[in-house]
Structure formats: structure tokens, C-alpha cells
Amino acid sequence: MNLLRGSKVWVEDRDSAWLPAEVLDSDGNKILLLTDSGKKVLASKEKLFPRDADEEEHGGFEDMTRLAYLNEPGVLFNLRRRYELNDIYTYTGSILIAVNPFTKLPHLYDSHMMDQYKGAPLGELSPHVFAVADASYRAMMNEGKSQSILVSGESGAGKTETTKLIMQYLTFVGGRAAGDDRTVEQQVLESNPLLEAFGNARTVRNDNSSRFGKFVEIQFDSNGRISGAAIRTYLLERSRVVQITDPERNYHCFYQLCSFERDAEKYKLGHPSHFHYLNQSKIYELEGVRNSEEYLKTRRAMDIVGISHADQEAIFRVLAAILHVGNIEFSPGKEHDSSEVKNDKSRFHLEMAADLFMCDVDLLLATLCTRSIQTREGSIIKVLDCNAAVAGRDALAKTVYARLFDWLVDKINMSVGQDINSKIQIGVLDIYGFECFKDNSFEQFCINFANEKLQQHFNEHVFKMEQEEYGKEEINWSYIEFVDNQDVLDLIEKKPIGIIALLDEACMFPKSTHETFSTKLFQHFRSHPRLGKEKFSQTDFTVSHYAGKVTYHTDTFLDKNRDYVVVEHCNLLSSSKCPFVSGLFPLLPEESSRSSYKFSSVAARFKQQLQALMETLNSTEPHYIRCVKPNSLNRPQIFENASVIHQLRCGGVLEAVRISLAGYPTRRTYSEFVDRFGLIAPEFMDGSYDDKAATKKILQKLKLENFQLGRTKVFLRAGQIGILDSRRAEVLDNAAKCIQRRLRTFITHQYFIILRSAAFSLQACCRGHIARKIYAAKRETAAAISIQKYIRMWLTRRVHLKLNFSAITIQSHVRGFVTRQRFLHVKEHRAATFVQAFWRMSKVRSSFLRHQTSIVAIQCLWRCKQAKRELRRLKQEANEAGALRLAKSKLEKQLEDLTWRLHLEKKIRVSNEEAKKIEISKLQKMLEALNLELDAAKLAKINECNKNAVLQNQLELSVKEKSALKRELVVVDELRKENALLKVSLDAFERKYMTLELELMNAQKGRDENMEKLRELEQKCSQLEQNEKKLEEKLMSLEDENRVLRQKALSTPLKSNRPGFAKSMSEKYSSAITSRTERKTTYESPTPTKLIAPFTLGLTDSRRSKLTAEKHQDNYEFLSKCIKENLGFKHGKPIAARIIYKCLLHWHSFESERTTIFDSIIEGINEALKVRVDDIILPYWLSNTSALLCLLQRNLRSNGFLTTTAQRYPGSSGLTSRTGHGPKSPLQFIGFDDGVSHVEARYPAILFKQQLTACVEKIFGLLRDNLKKELSPLLGSCIQAPKTGRGVQGAKLSRSPRGIPQQSSSGQWDNIVKFLDSLMSKLRGNHVPSFFIRKLVTQVFSFINITLFNSLLLRRECCTFSNGEYVKSGLAELEKWIVNAKEEYAGTSWHELNYIRQAVGFLVIHQKRKKSLEEIRKDLCPALTVRQIYRISTMYWDDKYGTQSVSNEVVSEMREIVSKDNQNLPSNSFLLDDDLSIPFSAEDIDMAIPAIDLDEIHLPEFVSEYSCAQFLRSQQK
């Protein structure tokens, strides 16, 4: 690797694993580097890796095989960049790497996202677990071979969640298990708490680590439907039951049982520290976990799985027994090498264990302390020493626990349901990953052995994929070396000499120790490159695994590997009185029971299970998902490099990188290679060479060897891309120098021009300053002269003004004196005149008042006399006995009159509505006239105000002259005396008036009594009205029941609906219909043509029914012929719809109480659609059915008998609503009418209208769905710019990195435009109303918007600058089409493309980094959500000009908003959903379609063949 100053490299770091750095200087093998943090580092050349600076501008590569430098730091930082953008999935070839986000990302896993990945080839869309699941499902269906998905990673990396998502997707594409409401995913996941309780434990690195492997088989039938599932478990860590190390724990179920007080007390349990199997570690509680709650969850999971309560009790009895067995201690017995129970405490635990196992306590003690050996002579009882007894005790505990775990797995499989006949399945393997701790024991050895096996399988798969890639590209790959780990596997498992074989051999000898095992191990593998010996330990050994070196401590190897199956133990427990325990230990065969010991090595059994697992995996096609835990804190947006790089090593990802490095790690398509490195050899870029030839010329020019040219890609060996990049950097460096030289010349020239212009400016300033001084002196001289002139003028003017003011003052005083004298004379004359006028007025007024007083007195006397006469008459009437009776009769007549008027008003209310409209118009005119009068009154008011002002002035004058009138007060006093006399006479009249008032009060009391009686009569009348309303409600309920019965009758088959059906039907409905007809005669007055004979009479007359059936049959055949034939159109109106309507109208079908002709019409239309569902028949029937529906909507009105309460005309109520007419057509209210008389429609006609509405919606939906199916493949080719070869013209055009000319022809878009033109011609050719065309085109453009926008967000190669230009040009073509189609047919189609238009507009703008989030949301993309903008911003890359996406501040701001939305919003998908609704109703159709003329109809030729249709010919004539 040639490192120059400024080269970008990766340098190793202790804390961050790798750091990006730049070369400052090189001194031989030592390189001085400057890291991004500003720190200078000195490193050797061999420890550096090259770095591509251009990749930092991207948001990371979706497939890491596209990295320019495929190395460890490149892989690590590509994952980091994508993780920071919440892109948690990344491909490495066909391997998916999933980084746990530790936060919810619901937008990635909804049903719409699953639908997008359904059927999509792997790699076409963004990396996703759904893509791997879909690839496995498609491969299984296409090849008929079972598949497997291997999910690996350390605890907490998200393996279980990934497995859940895989099963969720397989359930989505494979359907649901037959006869079960729960999906397979739910069934398997419901068993997880149970398996975790009995199979998970705390380890050094994780609190909930799976200590077994789980292989979930999802079984499918031949049609690809899920038929069953099964869970297979592998490699349970049995030794953990009896032996654990601090700070680990035993299995969770033990701690859960001890924490639940009720069961713990029942089984004599206590704190875990009291039991030997649990107190070997001091960790009893887990942070954030309550064991008692987990116990209840485990119980609940048992209930869900279907474990009975008795079995649950037995399970926990067994667990308690295991804990008690572990507390049994032994001491040397009386005999040599014998043992016995140590003390009373151990005796108690022994008795409890026997009680819980439900076996004999002495027999249990005997099986623990002795062994029976079968010989020819008989059985020999051998006593065991303390160590052997402890080993037997632990063997019993491990055996019981293992059998219990296997029973639970079998029970879960029974609950889930297996399909034993399934031939194909998809298996999902969830198994523990590679482990390397500070202290590694036998468990880590077994786990790492399993991972070595899986890694070999993985390596073979990766190498196979590499071979397939090379074979597909037709290159020579025979000499490529295969990186294999077979030597490690031979070291571990090879017979007769391998680590496992040596360990089993050591375990067979009782006196073997871990020292003897280690000595023999080092003797046999002294020179093995994969095995090493620790310096400070004689027994520890180190194995070089694929993920690194691991040192194992052999102290407990032998104890953990021994797994004796003691026959006495099995016999003891098989004889248990507990059916559950005895079921775990079935009786052994006779030959097996002869030997007391059945030696079983844990490592050997582990090896067998592993071999079975590998055979299962080898029989399937594998797919790999590597889960990565980004940090140990389990928090989002934290990426620990050291932890991740360790997991990548353990997961085999870096091993896959090494395999790729062994072959051709760098591969580029020819267009990409030429776009990047074409500048190295511009002489080959003149257009005379194609991409492949140009690539070859460039490589030959640089004298590179061992590269391979495939069909579509160039393959480079490791290091060759560095040579190309260094040469490209030199070319770019020289170009930069040339640009700098030109720029410096330009800057210097500009500086000279600026200096020259500055000199000119300075000279001009100096000259201007001198000229300004001369000008100022001249201006001062002129100013002095002007000031003198104005001062002299001011003095002269002042003298003149003073003289003038004096003359004017004298004149004004003289004139004022003369005027005042004249005014006083006039004032005296006016006062005298005023006094005379008031005196004359006073005399006249006194005379008038005298006359008035006399007249009032006479009137009072006359009225008093009249009142007395009336009082006498009222007394006489009150004494008469018949007066009350007459009043009552009058009130009754008034009540009858009022009720009659009430009914009359209700009858004429409907007809009065139109009169009201006329009255309203008249009132409006009157209101206008009144407004005019009001204006006139206002004017009069103004005049009166003016007059009042004049009077007010006169009043003020009179107040001043009031003093003159005081003299007349003497005369007024005399008048007062006369008034006193009049008052005396008035008092006499008032007394008489009071007596008359008392008599009047008595008369009013009598009247009040009569009014109370009248009110009582009114209350009785209101009660009668309420009873009437109740009767109306009962009648309405009877109508509803009759309607339901009629609907049931209409829903029967056509044959039963024809005349002549069973008599029982007539009996069933006769009572209801006769009562209904009786009521109808009471409340309705139909025309004679609408009178219907009683239903029973029509059914009993057989002859009449026969004639009716023949007539109906003729009608059915004629309408069926009209439906089957294409009758065409006349004057743009459908003929078939008009003929059908006229026939139904003529045959009085709408007025019929019961008919099947409407059903036959709907069935005929459906049959016509079934025969041909294409773009011709659908528009034809859309036009016909909409026209027929429009005719029904306008010309039918609901009969009052059938209308429900909600359908009545507003204002009508009760029985009177049946006497009026139904509501008019809505078109009449807006002044639009077809000129056709309205028909009272019965229930079948109304039901037919509803069925026809559904038929129109169905045809519209079918037509829309067909269009979407035809449009989908066209849109698939339009979202991404096509790759074109470089011809001769390519040299003249500036090309994008993908070889797309700037003025790219929109050939694919032309296909869409042609498709739209064809659609428009078909619709208009069938005279589909513009209303439907507008709705259909709008939905088609909405589908275009959704499809293009979703594809843009799911495919990173589409989020480029050049692709944005391509799509933008295509949208311009669609805009032209919309303009040409006009708004009548296109409607708001252009607005439906808002999302894709704004997204594409964002792609093609420059200087995105200068845009703030507010500007993007409000100006550029107002319709897009922040999540969608975030997705586009992070996926964008400029393949044309190299510009960058939005700034990091904007990205972080959007990330915060998105994370908040994840918690708040119910739906967080960034994809758009397709609208499948019907965008119109029957009322919309009625309002949109113009009038339909029924007169001009072109009759088809077959009309003459049917007698029922002859009226059409006569009408036409």
C-alpha cells in the first residue's frame, strides 16, 4: 500500500477499536498520522488499512460488498453510520446484519411494509429481516426444498425479536394454521416464558442467557400455507443444574419457585441461599426482575400451553425435590468406603425429596449410597463412598431435570400442532453465540465447539455464494483458496484422539484428574498450531478459534462431563406413585437394566445432538442473520466499537470478509468503475469503447494483473483498488493544482483591477474636496447679500403694518357702537309683541278648559248608567241553570272544531310548503317596501329634529319672558277654585265606579271556574292524542316486521319467488297483509290502477298464477337478452339502461309488492361481468348501470307505507304522513327535472336501487383494480433511470455516474402516457360520464403517487440526484397529459402527485446543507412528514455533482422528532397507504349526471320477437 501525504487510513485504537486518520508524514515503516480527534499517532505501515474518503459522504452502504475497501474498520464504521441513521439492517452479500436499536421502530414492521417486501428479490429494496424471510419462502416454493434461517448473536442482541419478526412475516405470506384463531407466531411466542424459565440463566454477560439451542420448524403444505410448527431444542446445559460459578445463576425456575411464598411453604422451601445447588453463587436476584411475578408468568404460560393444574403441581414438586436432593450430604459410614446421611438436616431433605418424588425414602437412600452389579451368579450390592454418593446424587438431579425439560418441549409441540405429512418447512435456529470470558470452563468449550461447527457451515455457504457469484459472471475462480476451520474441529472431535475423546477416556477412569487429562492432552497435541499451553498454569489450555483465542480452565472438566445414567435411579422413579414422575422414567428394557451404570458423556451427547442439528441444516438451504448488540447499557443511539467488533468476529462476519478477501473482494459494475476511474485514462472515454472495453483498457494502462472481467462486473484482487484510488488521487491532485493556478491568476488580476479603481476613486475625492471649498466661499458671499436685503424689507414692512392696524381698530369701534344701538331698538319691539301674544293665548286657553271639564263629567255619568244595566243582565244569566250546559256544549264544539282543524292542517302541511315559499318571497318584497318606508321615516325624523331645535330656541325665549306672565296668576287662582268644586263631584263618581268594579270581580271568578273546566277538557284531549301516537308507533313496528318478512321472502331463490309457490307462504303472510290493506284503505287513497287484490286470492287461483308465470318468463328472457347483447349508445346515452327502465316502468314492477325481476337483472349483470372482466365490458356496464341508477334515483319515490321513520318527509308525523305524497326528487328543489312522472316505489324497487348502487361500486372497483395491475409493472421501470450503454453520442453528453445522459429520454414514461391515452379512449368510447372518468383518473394518479413514493423510500439507488431528474422529467410528461385532458376529465389529478413531486423536488435542489428543517418542512416539502423527510435525507446521495445531503444538525433534529413520534403516534409508517374506498355515493351520481331522455331510443332488432316489448315500438311510432 502506497501511502502519500494526505492519504486517508484507519489506525487501530485501544478504546475505539479503530479511528479514521490522515497521513502527515512517513519515515520508512513508521507513519505519522493525525486522527479525526486532532491527536497525532505514530503507527507501523502494516497495521494501517486504507480508507475511502468519498464513502463518508454517504449514509453507509446497504451491501458492504460494495465498499471500496472491504476490511474490518470499513465494515465497523459502515454499520456505525447506518446505525446513527436508524438503518439497523445491512447486507454482507446474502448475510443480514441486524443491530439492536433498543427502541421501537414500528414503521419498519407494519403490514404495509410486509406487503412491499412480498415477492421482491433480495437486495432490490433496503435491507430488512422481511427480505431474508421472503427469500427463504420463495426459494422453498420455487425449488421445493426446505429452508433454514440461522439467527445468531450474543444475549441481548435481539435474536428472539428477530425470530418473532421472521415468524410474523411467514405467517403473513403463508396464511394461518387451519382451524386455529392464533397464528403460529403467537403460539410459539406464548411458550417463550416457559422455555425461558426452564432453559435460561444468568451468565457473566447477560441476565437472561439461553442455555440451549432452539430450532423452530414452521411447516407448510404444498400450496404454501402454514400447516403446523414444531420446536426442537438442542444442547441443554445440564451441568448448570448441579454446579454454577459466581456471579452466574442456576435456571430461573428454581429462584421463581423459592420466591413464591405459598408454594415454597408447601414444598418446605426457603431462600435460595439455603440450597446447595443455588448458593454456589451469591447472586439470587436480578436487577429489575421480581421472581414472584415471573413465577406467575410461568404459571400463566403453562395454562396457555395446555398443561393441566395437576401436571403443573407435579412439575414444581419435581423442581422442589431436585433442590432437596442437592442438600443431601454424606459422611463416611461404618463399613469401609461406605457412606450414610450426614445429619438430621440431610435426613430431613432426604425425606422431603422422597415425599415429593412419591417414592420410598429407604429405597431412595439405597439408590444414593449403594449400587447393584448384575453377575452370572446374581446381583452384588456395592457400597459407595461419599464422593461417589455425591456424584450419584448430582447425576440423579441432572437426569430428572433433563427429562423434565424434554417433557415440557414435547408438551409445547403438542400445543402448537405439528404436521407430520409436511414435506417442506422453514426452520429458524436461535442458538447461543460464541463465548469468551475471563474464566472459561466446560460449558464455554461446548458452546464454542457448536459455534465452530456452525461457522464451518457458514464458511461453506459463504464460499458457495462466492462461487455462484463467480460462476454467474463467468470468471475463472478455480485457484481461489477456501478458508476453512476443519483443523479446529479435528482437534476437538476427531477420533480416536481428540479433546472430547481424551476427556471421555479420562472420565471412564475413576482416579483420573484434570491434571492427568491436561498432561495427556499436551502430549498428543504438542505441536498442533491451534492448541497452546498457558505459561502460568499447568492444566489450562488455549484453543485458537475462528473468533480468537480462548483459554479454558480444566478444573471442573471431568466432573461436568460425567453424566452417568444410574439404572437404580430410573427404576426408583418409574415406580413412583406420582403418574407424572413415573411418566418421565418409563421402564428400561431388560438388557439395559443388567448394568447399574450407563456411562454417558456430556460432551459425547453434545456432539451427537450437534451432529443431528448439522444434518438438519445440511438438508436445508441456509440463510444467515447476525444480530449485534451495539452497547452493554441497552440504550439507543450508543455504539461501542470494541464490543461490536468483538461480536462481528464471534458472529463470523469478519470471517466472511476474510473469505471474500481470499478471492476478489472488490467488485464493481462496469458503469460504476468507468464513472469512478475513467478520469485516469480520458483517452478511452471518447465514446469509441463500451464500458467493458474501457475498463480493460484502464486496468491495462496501470499494468494491473490477476483481475477478472465478468459479464456485468469487474473483479479486483485485494489491494488493487488501492492502486486505482491512489492513481485517481494523483489525477485529481494535478487537476486541483491546475484549478488552483488558474484561480490564483484570477484572484491576482481581480486585485490589480481593484487597486486601479481605488486610485481613480482617490483622485476623484481630492478634486471634489477642492471644488467644494471654492463653492462654499461663493455661497457665503451670496448669502450675506441676501440676508441684508431681507432685513431691510422686514423693517419697512413692520412700520407699514403698524399704521394699518391702528386705522382698522378705530373703524371697528365706531361701527360696533352704531350696530348695538339698532339692535336694542329691535329687541324692545319684539318683546312687546311677544307679551301681547301670550295674553291672548291665556284667555282662549281658560275658556277651552272650562268646556272640556263639563264634557268629561257628562260622559262619566252616562258610562255609570250603562255599567249598572250590564251588571243586572250578568246576574240574571248567572242565575239561569242552563248557562253552564250551553257553555260546555260550546266548548265541545270548539274542541271538535280544533281537532278537525288540526287534522286538516296536518293534511295540507305538505302542500303549504310551496305556498310558504311564495309567501316568503312576498314577505321579502314587503320587507323591501318597509325598508323604503323606514328610510322615509328616518328622513322625517331628521326634519322633526330640526323643528324641535327651532322650538327649543323659542322655549328659551319664553323662559326669559316668564316673569311677564306672573301677573296672570291671579286669574289662575280663580280657575283653581272652580276645579275644587269639580273634584268633589268627581269623588262621588269614583265611589259609584268602585261598586261596579266589585260586581265585575265576581263575574271574573265565575269565568275562571269555567276556564278550569275547559283546561280539564284540554288535558283529556291531549291524552287522546298521546294514545293516537302510541297506536301510530305500534303500526310502524308492524310495518317494520312486514318489511323484514318481505325481504326474507325476496332473498329466497328465484324459483320459489315465481307464481305458484307453496300455500303455506300465503297463510303465513295473509294475516299481516290483510290487516295492512285494511289500514291502507283507512289512511290512503291510491288511484284505481294501483289497487292490489288481497294476497291470498292471487295465490289460490292456479290459472291466474300460470298466466302470470308465462308472462314473467317472457319478461325475464327479454331483459336477459338486453343484458347479454351490446346495444351500444345513442346521442351518448346507453340504450340498454333506458330500455330496461322503460320496461320496468311499463310492467309496473316498481309498484309491485313482490317480484323477482330485479334479482334477475342484477344476476344478469353479474354473469355478464363474470364472462368478460376487461377494459371494454367494464366501462360499458359502468355507463349503463350508472344511467339506470340515475333514472331510479330521480323518478322513484318511496311509498309512505314502506318508508321508515328516518325516511319520512320532515314535518310529517303519525298516520297523516301516509295521506301525503313522498318527498320529491332532490333535482326538483334545484330546478332540474327529467320531465318523467314520479312512481311510488315499493320495497323490492327500493332494494333493487340499493343493489344497483352496490353493482356500480363493484364495477368501478374492478375497473380501478385492473388498471392498477396493468400500471404496476410500468411504474416499476419508471422509478429508476434506465442504464444506457456508452455509444458515440455518449461523448457529447455529460453523463451521470450511472451512465444516464442528462437529457434522458423518458421512454418508460411514454408507455404510461400511452396507457393513460388508451384508458381515456376506452372510457370515452363507452360514453362513461365525466364524473366517473374524473374519479377514476384521480385514483389512478393517486396510485402512481403512492407507488413511486414508496419505491423511492425503500430503494436507496432511487434517492439520487440523477434519478430525481429522471422522475421529474416523467412527472412533467404527466402534467402535460393532465393539461391536455382538461379539468373535466383530469380533475385534481395533479394535486394527487404532491408527495412524489415534493420528494423529487427535494432530490434535485442544490445546497441542501444550507436548508434548515423549517424551510424544508414549510417551503420544499409541506406535505411530507418529518419521518419521510428524514428517510429521504439519510438515503440521498448525489451521483452526478457530488453534493451532500442536509446538515448533521438538521438530521439530529429530525431524529429527535422521529423518536418522539415513535412513542406518541399509533402509526409510524413512512410509507403511504393505497386508498381502496369508493369515492362517490348514489346522490353524487344523481347530481353529476345530466338529464337522460327516454324518448329517442334505437330499438334492437330482437324486440319484435318478444310480445312483452311491443309497447316500445308503439311508443316510438
Side-chain angles (χ1 to χ4, degrees), residues 1057-1107:
N1057 290 335
R1058 304 264 173 99
F1061 57 88
K1063 185 178 179 181
S1064 60
M1065 293 292 291
S1066 66
E1067 295 172 354
K1068 184 177 180 180
Y1069 297 113
S1070 59
S1071 60
I1073 293 177
T1074 51
S1075 62
R1076 206 173 67 192
T1077 53
E1078 289 172 2
R1079 292 174 186 168
K1080 179 177 176 183
T1081 56
T1082 305
Y1083 302 113
E1084 289 188 349
S1085 57
T1087 59
T1089 58
K1090 296 180 183 179
L1091 289 174
I1092 301 173
F1095 196 52
T1096 55
L1097 296 176
L1099 291 176
T1100 56
D1101 191 354
S1102 60
R1103 184 178 179 183
R1104 183 175 178 182
S1105 63
K1106 185 176 181 181
L1107 292 174

Side-chain angles (χ1 to χ4, degrees), residues 463 470 479-483 657-665 717-718:
F463 190 69
Y470 299 154
Y479 62 89
I480 297 173
E481 181 183 357
F482 173 52
V483 180
V657 171
R658 282 195 288 271
I659 292 174
S660 298
L661 289 173
Y664 297 97
R717 299 287 287 178

Side-chain angles (χ1 to χ4, degrees), residues 697-743:
K697 293 288 184 182
I698 293 170
L699 293 172
Q700 289 176 349
K701 180 181 178 180
L702 296 180
K703 298 180 181 179
L704 296 178
E705 299 178 353
N706 294 332
F707 61 86
Q708 294 280 350
L709 298 178
R711 292 174 62 251
T712 61
K713 297 178 183 177
V714 57
F715 292 80
L716 303 176
R717 299 287 287 178
Q720 291 182 340
I721 192 70
I723 298 173
L724 286 166
D725 273 338
S726 61
R727 179 57 183 156
R728 177 175 177 269
E730 291 177 6
V731 173
L732 291 175
D733 189 38
N734 293 332
K737 290 177 181 177
C738 180
I739 293 170
Q740 291 172 358
R741 182 169 66 250
R742 295 285 185 181
L743 182 61

Side-chain angles (χ1 to χ4, degrees), residues 456-511:
Q456 185 187 42
H457 186 264
F458 174 71
N459 290 349
E460 291 174 355
H461 172 72
V462 171
F463 190 69
K464 180 182 176 183
M465 297 300 292
E466 290 283 313
Q467 289 178 345
E468 289 179 358
E469 176 74 10
Y470 299 154
K472 185 171 67 175
E473 291 291 329
E474 299 175 358
I475 67 171
N476 182 20
W477 51 271
S478 57
Y479 62 89
I480 297 173
E481 181 183 357
F482 173 52
V483 180
D484 196 7
N485 62 340
Q486 186 61 44
D487 54 345
V488 181
L489 295 174
D490 291 341
L491 171 66
I492 296 173
E493 67 174 346
K494 189 175 182 180
K495 291 184 178 182
I497 299 176
I499 296 177
I500 293 178
L502 293 175
L503 182 61
D504 290 346
E505 182 182 349
C507 291
M508 289 181 182
F509 297 101
K511 295 185 179 180

Side-chain angles (χ1 to χ4, degrees), residues 597-656:
Y597 284 103
K598 300 295 290 184
F599 174 73
S600 175
S601 164
V602 173
R605 186 184 298 108
F606 192 92
K607 179 180 173 183
Q608 291 173 1
Q609 291 182 338
L610 186 60
Q611 188 62 34
L613 174 61
M614 297 311 300
E615 289 175 359
T616 303
L617 294 179
N618 290 329
S619 64
T620 62
E621 187 68 27
H623 305 266
Y624 290 92
I625 299 177
R626 297 305 197 214
C627 297
V628 176
K629 184 178 180 181
N631 60 79
S632 57
L633 303 175
N634 297 347
R635 293 180 181 174
Q637 295 300 323
I638 299 177
F639 194 90
E640 297 175 355
N641 290 354
S643 174
V644 173
I645 203 70
H646 173 74
Q647 293 176 66
L648 292 177
R649 291 187 185 123
C650 296
V653 176
L654 299 182
E655 190 72 12

Side-chain angles (χ1 to χ4, degrees), residues 1096-1122:
T1096 55
L1097 296 176
L1099 291 176
T1100 56
D1101 191 354
S1102 60
R1103 184 178 179 183
R1104 183 175 178 182
S1105 63
K1106 185 176 181 181
L1107 292 174
T1108 306
E1110 292 175 356
K1111 182 180 177 181
H1112 287 176
Q1113 186 64 29
D1114 195 26
N1115 295 347
Y1116 297 149
E1117 291 178 358
F1118 175 70
L1119 291 181
S1120 177
K1121 187 76 171 179
C1122 291

